[in-house]
Amino acid sequence: MSAASCLLTEDQFLCSICLDVFTDPVALSCGHNFCQSCITEHWDSNVPYRCPNCKEVFSTRPQLKVNIFIKEMAAQFRQSAQQESSSSSSERQVSKPGEVPCDVCTGTKLNALKSCLVCLASYCETHLEPHLTMSGLKKHQLIDPVENLEDWMCEKHDKLLELFCKNDQRCVCVMCTVLEHQTHSVVPVKEEYYRKKAELEKRKAEMNQMIQKRQLKIQELKRSVKLSDQNAEREIAESVQVFNALIETVQRNLDKLINSVKEKQEKTKNQAEGFIRELEQEISDLEKTSTEVEQLSRSEDHLQLLQNFKSLNAAPPTKDWTEVRVHPPSHEETVKRAVKQLEETISIQMEKLICEVELKRIQQYEVDVTLDPDTAYPKLILSDDGKQVKYGDMKKNLPDNPKRFDKCSCVLSQQSFSSGRFYYEVQVKGKTVWDLGVARESINRKGQITTGPQSGYWTICLRNGNEYKACAGPSVRLSLQSGPEKVGVFVDYEEGLVSFYDVDAAALIYSFTDCSFTEELYPYFSPCNYDGGKNSAPLVISPVV
């Protein structure tokens, strides 16, 4: 029977009404089976009497009798299913390596759910039940399963280590507190456990915070290394550019020196060849005369000798070649002059190349600057985009707010800067008078102003069309080879540096160094007055190109 039941499936023992294993199964004449209570309730509420499966209608209510055979089969199937379920559950609870086994199980040890500190034993779900149901065992202290429960017992007094001595930082039993720790601060193990656990959680949080800080520092260092690599690559590229230019200069000057030496040598050579040709011609003439003299001296004819002697009276060459020499040219002075000239050229070129590289580097700090109409002197005319300013004849009726210049033709930018680096360029082409630079926020804007660092201004200016000055208090006269058409202004707030550049010539005009900035800095502009109509061109804030 058991073997046969194993061949049957669960569907064959299910009632189609309650969908559960048959309870008191009955069979209808049509061959279908149902629980007795299920079919009875179905027919009590549904007329006519028909089979719920095949819909066969019965003329009268059938007499129902329990099918003993099917009932036994269903009971065996239910029992088999329960055993399989119990076996499967037990298999899942079998103790594995590293887990605490049940101390009561014989044979296969199941996984313990709890350990008892009174019994000093660990129990699986089944063997734990008495501790959960019996009044005497309910008082035992249960904890999550642990191994080596004997470690929870005091070695001296064979009592449970249920207390913690704060003075000695160790677990103790009740007897220990009476005999050895009577003056110490003692708390229950559980209380100290939670306190220590909270402390560990706090320490863990602190360590996690330390880890995060160190991870952020690692990222910062990596970014620094990456930035350093980029800077190194840029510096190498710029250095290669500078040195290649210098090498070209050296090669060009070397070629010039070589050509100069060759020209001098060629001149010396041509001079010597000219002397040689002249000497050869004199030798030829002398040899010819000598032959004629010899022939005439052999003549025995008195009359012929006397007649021809007169023709031989022509004076022989009288040039004295004793002091005539060809001196090899000395190239030492030529080389010295060439080297000195090269040094001067390289020095000038180095300064220019370094300035070009420096200008390209600082141009990356370009900022968008626009003029602030609320600060502009009433006679100034600003463009709609805030990029141009020039002097006008008409003084506008504007509100005299604290930000506005009321006597000097000045205007500040809308943007201010209190850290880092910034750069902008201003076109000054066609102007004979102007002022440019930066000013701190607290400058005096009313009445006549004097520009200079002591007043909060770091500026340069042009006067009379060709007089350039740095308003350093006192002013510094600037000697420029040519007047700039576009001026670049660079500020390094932390370094206390304000530098002005001739953009087209890539040349430094002037630098204010060791400045002490403690306020917001504003770009400062003054197109100045008309200067008899010669200064009508505007100051134009230009983008870097």
Side-chain angles (χ1 to χ4, degrees):
M1 176 69 70
S2 177
S5 66
C6 294
L7 299 176
L8 300 175
T9 64
E10 184 178 359
D11 293 341
Q12 294 172 292
F13 295 98
L14 295 181
C15 170
S16 60
I17 295 177
C18 67
L19 301 179
D20 201 356
V21 178
F22 289 126
T23 301
D24 296 331
V26 295
L28 303 184
S29 59
C30 60
H32 294 117
N33 301 297
F34 305 94
C35 296
Q36 186 176 27
S37 59
C38 292
I39 190 65
T40 299
E41 292 177 2
H42 179 74
W43 280 346
D44 287 345
S45 58
N46 294 281
V47 179
Y49 311 114
R50 65 175 65 185
C51 174
N53 286 356
C54 65
K55 310 303 181 184
E56 181 179 343
V57 178
F58 305 103
S59 57
T60 59
R61 184 165 181 162
Q63 294 294 322
L64 301 177
K65 294 183 179 180
V66 176
N67 189 322
I68 303 300
F69 175 75
I70 297 178
K71 181 178 180 180
E72 291 178 352
M73 291 288 291
Q76 289 184 10
F77 178 81
R78 185 181 288 109
Q79 183 179 2
S80 176
Q82 290 176 349
Q83 289 176 349
E84 289 180 1
S85 174
S86 176
S87 175
S88 174
S89 175
S90 296
E91 288 178 1
R92 291 194 298 270
Q93 296 177 359
V94 171
S95 178
K96 300 176 182 179
E99 296 178 338
V100 179
C102 176
D103 292 326
V104 182
C105 288
T106 59
T108 303
K109 295 282 187 179
L110 299 183
N111 189 23
L113 293 182
K114 293 290 182 179
S115 294
C116 177
L117 295 179
V118 178
C119 302
L120 295 180
S122 299
Y123 303 103
C124 65
E125 181 179 9
T126 302
H127 296 121
L128 181 65
E129 187 174 355
H131 280 74
L132 303 176
T133 58
M134 297 176 66
S135 59
L137 296 178
K138 282 184 178 180
K139 298 180 181 180
H140 290 192
Q141 186 176 354
L142 298 176
I143 62 172
D144 290 335
V146 295
E147 293 182 314
N148 304 324
L149 281 168
E150 59 273 11
D151 293 343
W152 286 70
M153 302 301 293
C154 178
E155 294 179 355
K156 287 185 178 182
H157 309 109
D158 200 27
K159 296 289 185 180
L160 182 65
L161 297 171
E162 56 184 339
L163 300 170
F164 182 81
C165 176
K166 289 188 174 182
N167 297 70
D168 296 338
Q169 290 292 302
R170 54 176 292 192
C171 295
V172 296
C173 68
V174 175
M175 293 299 294
C176 291
T177 62
V178 175
L179 299 176
E180 301 171 4
H181 301 264
Q182 62 269 28
T183 61
H184 293 181
S185 175
V186 178
V187 296
V189 165
K190 191 173 184 179
E191 178 182 330
E192 186 65 17
Y193 164 78
Y194 285 115
R195 195 184 73 81
K196 285 286 196 294
K197 190 172 184 180
E199 185 179 330
L200 290 174
E201 289 295 330
K202 182 181 177 182
R203 187 178 301 178
K204 181 181 177 182
E206 291 174 351
M207 289 184 176
N208 287 337
Q209 188 175 12
M210 292 171 68
I211 291 171
Q212 290 177 357
K213 286 183 178 179
R214 281 154 178 78
Q215 288 174 339
L216 290 175
K217 178 57 70 173
I218 289 174
Q219 294 176 2
E220 178 186 338
L221 292 173
K222 287 183 177 179
R223 286 194 297 268
S224 297
V225 170
K226 184 177 180 180
L227 181 61
S228 179
D229 287 339
Q230 293 174 348
N231 289 339
E233 290 177 1
R234 187 183 69 250
E235 292 292 340
I236 290 172
E238 292 174 352
S239 299
V240 168
Q241 179 182 354
V242 170
F243 276 82
N244 283 339
L246 294 177
I247 290 171
E248 290 177 2
T249 299
V250 171
Q251 186 63 52
R252 188 165 54 250
N253 280 266
L254 176 60
D255 293 341
K256 184 178 179 181
L257 174 61
I258 292 172
N259 290 334
S260 176
V261 171
K262 286 183 176 180
E263 286 177 2
K264 286 186 176 182
Q265 178 60 25
E266 188 67 25
K267 184 177 180 180
T268 301
K269 182 180 177 181
N270 292 337
Q271 184 185 31
E273 289 177 349
F275 289 154
I276 292 171
R277 285 194 298 271
E278 188 176 351
L279 285 167
E280 288 176 344
Q281 182 62 46
E282 288 187 1
I283 291 171
S284 177
D285 292 343
L286 287 171
E287 287 177 345
K288 181 179 179 182
T289 303
S290 176
T291 302
E292 292 178 353
V293 168
E294 183 181 357
Q295 290 176 353
L296 185 59
S297 66
R298 292 176 184 174
S299 174
E300 298 294 335
D301 187 342
H302 299 84
L303 182 61
Q304 182 183 11
L305 186 145
L306 293 173
Q307 289 177 343
N308 292 331
F309 183 82
K310 186 178 181 180
S311 63
L312 295 176
N313 280 338
T318 58
K319 184 173 183 178
D320 185 4
W321 291 91
T322 304
E323 300 300 327
V324 175
R325 290 182 178 83
V326 174
H327 300 280
S330 174
H331 303 294
E332 182 177 352
E333 289 299 323
T334 304
V335 173
K336 285 182 178 180
R337 285 194 302 270
V339 170
K340 185 177 181 180
Q341 183 179 358
L342 177 61
E343 288 176 350
E344 295 174 354
T345 303
I346 287 179
S347 178
I348 295 172
Q349 189 171 8
M350 272 286 292
E351 185 177 348
K352 179 176 175 56
L353 289 171
I354 291 174
C355 193
E356 287 178 353
V357 171
E358 179 69 12
L359 184 58
K360 287 181 180 179
R361 184 182 65 82
I362 66 174
Q363 282 177 332
Q364 65 180 326
Y365 298 105
E366 179 190 15
V367 293
D368 185 18
V369 173
T370 53
L371 302 172
D372 184 0
D374 291 337
T375 66
Y377 175 59
K379 279 193 175 183
L380 295 184
I381 300 173
L382 277 61
S383 63
D384 293 338
D385 61 0
K387 296 294 185 180
Q388 299 186 29
V389 58
K390 64 180 180 179
Y391 193 85
D393 288 332
M394 185 71 66
K395 186 174 183 179
K396 297 185 285 294
N397 186 17
L398 298 173
D400 186 18
N401 62 63
K403 296 168 57 178
R404 189 180 306 284
F405 293 92
D406 65 347
K407 295 295 182 182
C408 296
S409 56
C410 311
V411 61
L412 300 179
S413 71
Q414 292 182 336
Q415 296 76 22
S416 64
F417 305 90
S418 59
S419 64
R421 302 168 179 174
F422 62 94
Y423 174 83
Y424 60 96
E425 293 181 354
V426 183
Q427 180 179 303
V428 296
K429 181 180 180 180
K431 296 190 66 60
T432 59
V433 190
W434 51 257
D435 293 65
L436 287 177
V438 293
R440 67 187 179 208
E441 186 175 21
S442 63
I443 55 172
N444 176 34
R445 311 183 190 198
K446 305 304 178 182
Q448 296 298 323
I449 61 175
T450 301
T451 56
Q454 67 277 6
S455 304
Y457 295 86
W458 292 267
T459 64
I460 63 172
C461 66
L462 169 65
R463 296 292 183 267
N464 302 321
N466 59 4
E467 297 177 6
Y468 294 91
K469 298 178 182 179
C471 304
S475 61
V476 177
R477 185 72 176 267
L478 304 176
S479 298
L480 305 182
Q481 292 184 350
S482 61
E485 294 187 351
K486 185 181 292 185
V487 176
V489 183
F490 173 69
V491 177
D492 188 328
Y493 195 97
E494 283 72 23
E495 289 293 326
L497 174 69
V498 181
S499 295
F500 300 86
Y501 292 86
D502 181 339
V503 176
D504 296 325
L508 177 66
I509 297 175
Y510 186 78
S511 286
F512 291 92
T513 58
D514 298 325
C515 307
S516 179
F517 301 133
T518 57
E519 302 179 25
E520 302 267 342
L521 293 180
Y522 289 82
Y524 166 86
F525 309 83
S526 176
C528 299
N529 55 31
Y530 265 131
D531 190 22
K534 294 181 290 183
N535 194 43
S536 60
L539 291 175
V540 181
I541 302 172
S542 306
V544 173
V545 294

